[in-house]
Amino acid sequence: MAKVVIFSGAGISAESGLSTFRDTGGLWEKYRIEEICTAGCLSWNRENTLSFYDARRAQLASVTPNRAHEAIAKLQEHYPKDVAIITQNVDDLFERAGCKNVLHLHGFLSNIRCEKCSFTYAIGYTKQNRDLICSACGGNLRPDIVFFGESAPMYEHLCVAMEDCEFLVIIGSSGNVVAMDHFARQMKYSILNNLERSDAINEYVYTKVLYKKATEAVDEIVADVEQFLRK
Ligand code: APR
């Protein structure tokens, strides 16, 4: 398994033009989590919920990967067995930059999923067709997004990946949803890169802290990881 885990959140895609969630002007200032991203929304607020994710897909179609996604893709290309990419992001910007086997903890915007049998269908950047049902079992279809209060099956894979991790890099996550500090404590090397301090992260457990844009921090991050992997 990979010795280096690059763990990211919305901040890495911010410079591509996708809003983060909790920064000033972030998505959760404009929308209420309880109304479009919480277990049960699809029962009482279905149309608004589906429309919200239709709009996210349309926005995703209009943006491209940035230097940070690209530099990480290059790093992984050089060290395919040693670098794992784990993200809370539901966008496909890592994939478009050339990254392989990206673990998406919170789902994937370009997929819809059967509520009953969990079969997924790729719909790209299009609107979800409200008339379609699952061709496998006839169940209702929904965005393939993990809502608050729902189980997140990929967290198990995160824990497995962290067992072999020796160098943890966090880029662009406030730590409010997935707390990584306890993993960082176990590492010999760890880097935290955000724009600023977060109340949900203990910066003292990281061996290096870079408060700057991901596109400005990524060269130093890649250089440190390469130095570690060459040892
Ligand atoms: N470069 C680096 N970091 C940045 C940048 C940037 N250009 N812009 C913002 N950031 C940092 C902010 O400083 C903040 O710490 O990115 C972080 C964004 O935090 P959140 O908006 O809370 O995003 P994230 O941690 O990914 O949210 C986790 O919450 O709503 C859910 O499911 C959603 O996966 C998401 C989860």
Side-chain angles (χ1 to χ4, degrees):
M1 292 286 280
K3 285 188 225 164
V4 177
V5 169
I6 314 272
F7 178 91
S8 65
I12 197 167
S13 297
E15 289 169 82
S16 291
L18 297 180
S19 300
T20 59
F21 295 96
R22 296 173 185 79
D23 292 308
T24 309
L27 277 174
W28 297 149
E29 245 177 40
K30 297 182 198 131
Y31 299 89
R32 288 171 61 83
I33 290 181
E34 308 78 48
E35 290 177 5
I36 40 94
C37 191
T38 297
C41 287
L42 287 163
S43 305
W44 69 270
N45 197 22
R46 188 173 184 84
E47 185 48 39
N48 286 334
T49 303
L50 299 187
S51 300
F52 174 79
Y53 291 101
D54 286 344
R56 303 278 74 71
R57 252 177 253 114
Q59 187 188 26
L60 183 53
S62 70
V63 303
T64 51
N66 64 48
R67 272 201 75 235
H69 298 105
E70 283 160 5
I72 289 166
K74 222 173 252 169
L75 175 70
Q76 192 193 37
E77 196 187 325
H78 290 158
Y79 300 96
K81 291 206 181 95
D82 292 321
V83 175
I85 298 167
I86 302 181
T87 187
Q88 298 166 91
N89 297 347
V90 296
D91 67 57
D92 62 353
L93 296 179
F94 276 123
E95 284 84 356
R96 279 199 256 159
C99 296
K100 306 278 184 268
N101 304 317
V102 181
L103 177 63
H104 288 269
L105 296 176
H106 295 158
F108 197 58
L109 195 50
S110 299
N111 285 347
I112 53 172
R113 158 166 55 92
C114 175
E115 289 188 45
K116 215 162 134 191
C117 74
S118 295
F119 194 82
T120 57
Y121 299 83
I123 62 165
Y125 310 110
T126 62
K127 285 188 177 173
Q128 177 177 342
N129 181 337
R130 311 296 196 256
D131 300 326
L132 274 188
I133 52 167
C134 177
S135 57
C137 76
N140 285 327
L141 297 171
R142 57 166 285 173
D144 182 22
I145 303 290
V146 175
F147 292 171
F148 287 91
E150 294 182 337
S151 76
M154 294 302 148
Y155 284 7
E156 205 176 314
H157 297 274
L158 166 68
C159 294
V160 171
M162 291 314 299
E163 279 173 18
D164 294 313
C165 177
E166 296 172 31
F167 191 146
L168 173 64
V169 179
I170 311 278
I171 305 178
S173 176
S174 66
N176 277 289
V177 175
V178 180
M180 295 295 287
D181 291 356
H182 58 295
F183 290 123
R185 269 182 207 282
Q186 298 159 23
M187 302 291 138
K188 200 162 170 198
Y189 302 101
S190 55
I191 300 179
L192 170 68
N193 166 223
N194 275 328
L195 278 190
E196 56 195 7
R197 276 199 76 254
S198 164
D199 289 339
I201 294 178
N202 176 2
E203 62 185 17
Y204 299 110
V205 304
Y206 295 84
T207 54
K208 183 180 269 192
V209 177
L210 300 170
Y211 288 137
K212 51 167 92 166
K213 290 180 179 174
T215 56
E216 289 165 8
V218 75
D219 289 343
E220 185 172 341
I221 292 171
V222 166
D224 284 4
V225 169
E226 286 182 332
Q227 193 184 19
F228 165 76
L229 288 174
R230 276 199 294 263
K231 269 186 206 161

